[in-house]
Amino acid sequence: MTTTYTTTGASRGMRHRRPRRSAVPHLARLVIWAGAAGVLALWWSDTTSVIGPAGWLTGAGRITGLLAGYACAVLLALMARVPLLDHTIGTDRLARWHALGGRCTVSLAIAHTLLIIWGYSLTSHTNVVGQTSTLVLRYPDLLKGTAGFALFLATGIVSARAARRRMSYETWHYLHFATYLAVFLTFGHQLSNGADFVGNRPAQLAWYTLFLGVAALVAWYRFAVPLRRGLRHRLRVTAVHPEAPGVVSVHLTGEHLEELGGEPGQFLRWRFMARGLWWTANPYSLSAPAHPRHLRITVKTAGGHSAALARLAPGTRVWAEGPYGGFTAHRRTAAKVLLLAGGVGITPLRTLFETLPGQVTLVYRARRAEDLALRGEIDAIAARRRATVHYVVDEPAGYSSPLTALGLAALVPDLAAHDVYLCGPPGMTQAAIKALRGAGVPAPLIHHESFAF
């Protein structure tokens, strides 16, 4: 049985405008694959013939090396936090592309190393160990390239799921910065040893343009813009208020906040200049629409970083990077919308509930009734816009309700015709997606964004 509290009625005075789907995700994929095709064309145009096992191995080594180098530039571009990509594709989706590309890049780099050593050893009629020593110690820039390759392998190891589970997000994040050094160390040997670049001035210029362009994007959007905004907006904590057991809201004020352009559903990376917090920037969603003079985030005090936010003193200086994410009204394509929240996942959905036009239904799940954070605000918004809210709690046990297709369909008539915005813990999110698909909601209508990068 589901415990349900409902404020009903059609949303009035809000005209629905069907937005256009962004073409950016498709164009981004097209550009990436076109670049890969261009890299293969470079190898093809510079290869007259491939003869014997040594030729095939060396040729394969050249191809994998070119693709690995190109993939490094793509990986950095995906994580450069370019607003056009971030707001249309979504931060978490870019992170998934980056993670998949990272595994491919490490695999290509390993294949390149092994194939080149094997092919060169057959050509020079030497053993693999001796050929490896010759390449590393006598070829220009290959000693640095070897160090960069070792860093790539180390980054790949710490990024594996088994390793990620054993370290904090902050530790992994800073170890991941070794990728920049790895790219820097390996870049030189591509031009000084790569058969496709030696004596090929146009190819060299194209490679320099690619990497310098990506470096400029990273330097601007990941470093210069956050620094400039921090100095301009001068954010400070004004108050910390409890919202539910283990959940607090942090209120902030600053200058020229209208310039941030934060949309409902987006998040920022917050760096609180307090002891134990200043060295890391964690992602938290805005839990109220952005205001020219103040902002608010609502956080579950679960980990060490988030728990420390409950003890922030008024006046604490804050640096904010963003806004980021594409979990906004721009993803909407249907006339009806379901907002499905679990626990503190209510934070971005609360802003969307207040601002999305048209017919909107909110289903908010929590373990206990007292865990329903921001409930007073949600009820006020529902009454004002005459929308529907269902609060579903799991305790006491007699009132629990599994997250299933039948259960959701009973709460939300005509569920398959809704756009669904989903936010909650990973387990709840996975169960909700399965339930929504079972209820007939098409996958493109299910929108969710994860901070588990």
Side-chain angles (χ1 to χ4, degrees):
M1 179 178 177
T2 302
T3 302
T4 304
Y5 310 89
T6 308
T7 305
T8 59
S11 179
R12 298 178 181 176
M14 297 186 178
R15 298 176 61 188
H16 171 66
R17 179 177 60 86
R18 183 181 295 270
R20 295 180 180 179
R21 284 188 178 274
S22 173
V24 173
H26 304 292
L27 290 175
R29 292 194 194 93
L30 179 62
V31 169
I32 291 171
W33 287 111
V39 167
L40 293 176
L42 173 62
W43 172 84
W44 181 267
S45 66
D46 199 50
T47 303
T48 54
S49 61
V50 180
I51 301 173
W56 283 104
L57 289 169
T58 303
R62 285 169 55 195
I63 291 174
T64 52
L66 285 169
L67 289 174
Y70 169 71
C72 286
V74 173
L75 291 180
L76 295 180
L78 290 176
M79 289 289 98
R81 298 177 186 167
V82 179
L84 176 64
L85 300 180
D86 192 272
H87 296 172
T88 54
I89 298 175
T91 305
D92 64 332
R93 194 175 176 190
L94 288 172
R96 289 195 294 271
W97 290 7
H98 176 85
L100 175 61
R103 291 190 287 271
C104 293
T105 302
V106 172
S107 300
L108 287 168
I110 293 173
H112 164 69
T113 303
L114 297 178
L115 289 167
I116 286 293
I117 292 173
W118 193 3
Y120 276 33
S121 66
L122 290 180
T123 301
S124 59
H125 304 288
T126 59
N127 61 64
V128 171
V129 175
Q131 187 60 55
T132 302
S133 176
T134 299
L135 286 170
V136 172
L137 299 177
R138 297 186 182 180
Y139 278 60
D141 294 318
L142 256 180
L143 187 59
K144 291 191 297 183
T146 302
F149 174 65
L151 283 176
F152 271 124
L153 286 181
T155 304
I157 292 171
V158 301
S159 297
R161 289 184 180 180
R164 284 286 306 277
R165 286 195 293 264
R166 290 171 170 79
M167 66 179 69
S168 67
Y169 167 81
E170 293 81 10
T171 301
W172 170 84
H173 179 73
Y174 280 103
L175 288 175
H176 215 66
F177 274 115
T179 305
Y180 294 128
L181 179 58
V183 172
F184 174 78
L185 290 173
T186 57
F187 179 77
H189 98 278
Q190 298 175 68
L191 298 178
S192 57
N193 296 297
D196 302 286
F197 294 107
V198 175
N200 189 342
R201 192 63 175 172
Q204 293 176 8
L205 290 175
W207 214 242
Y208 271 114
T209 300
L210 173 64
F211 277 86
L212 288 177
V214 171
L217 291 176
V218 171
W220 179 251
Y221 288 112
R222 295 208 64 164
F223 299 99
V225 169
L227 178 61
R228 185 188 66 173
R229 287 182 172 176
L231 295 172
R232 173 122 176 111
H233 299 306
R234 305 181 64 82
L235 282 165
R236 293 186 182 276
V237 174
T238 56
V240 178
H241 292 152
E243 300 288 356
V247 179
V248 298
S249 284
V250 180
H251 297 257
L252 308 105
T253 189
E255 301 174 3
H256 314 290
L257 297 185
E258 70 280 356
E259 296 176 7
L260 279 174
E263 295 185 47
Q266 289 188 313
F267 68 93
L268 294 90
R269 286 182 170 87
W270 305 88
R271 188 184 303 274
F272 297 90
M273 307 306 290
R275 185 177 181 180
L277 297 176
W278 63 268
W279 66 287
T280 184
N282 279 21
Y284 299 115
S285 296
L286 295 171
S287 61
H291 185 275
R293 289 297 301 167
H294 54 81
L295 302 173
R296 187 186 72 181
I297 58 174
T298 301
V299 180
K300 183 176 179 63
T301 57
H305 184 278
S306 56
L309 300 187
R311 301 186 296 272
L312 284 172
T316 300
R317 187 70 185 273
V318 184
W319 293 75
E321 304 173 25
Y324 298 121
F327 193 63
T328 66
H330 297 293
R331 289 191 177 182
R332 179 178 181 174
T333 58
K336 301 176 183 179
V337 175
L338 167 63
L339 307 177
L340 181 54
V344 78
I346 189 62
T347 52
L349 298 185
R350 179 254 181 256
T351 60
L352 290 169
F353 187 50
E354 181 175 350
T355 58
L356 273 176
Q359 182 178 332
V360 180
T361 301
L362 171 63
V363 175
Y364 184 6
R365 300 178 61 91
R367 190 164 64 90
R368 303 168 302 176
E370 53 266 37
D371 295 325
L372 296 166
L374 308 174
R375 182 175 172 184
E377 296 180 18
I378 292 168
D379 286 338
I381 294 169
R384 183 168 64 250
R385 65 177 297 169
R386 300 187 179 182
T388 300
V389 181
H390 299 284
Y391 297 107
V392 181
V393 296
D394 295 331
E395 295 182 4
Y399 296 96
S400 63
S401 173
L403 184 55
T404 63
L406 290 176
L408 286 176
L411 289 174
V412 186
D414 196 22
L415 177 57
H418 285 67
D419 262 303
V420 181
Y421 286 77
L422 169 64
C423 189
M428 176 266 181
T429 299
Q430 294 171 7
I433 292 174
K434 181 178 179 180
L436 290 166
R437 297 292 290 122
V441 180
L445 295 188
I446 303 174
H447 316 297
H448 63 97
E449 195 162 63
S450 169
F451 291 162
F453 302 146

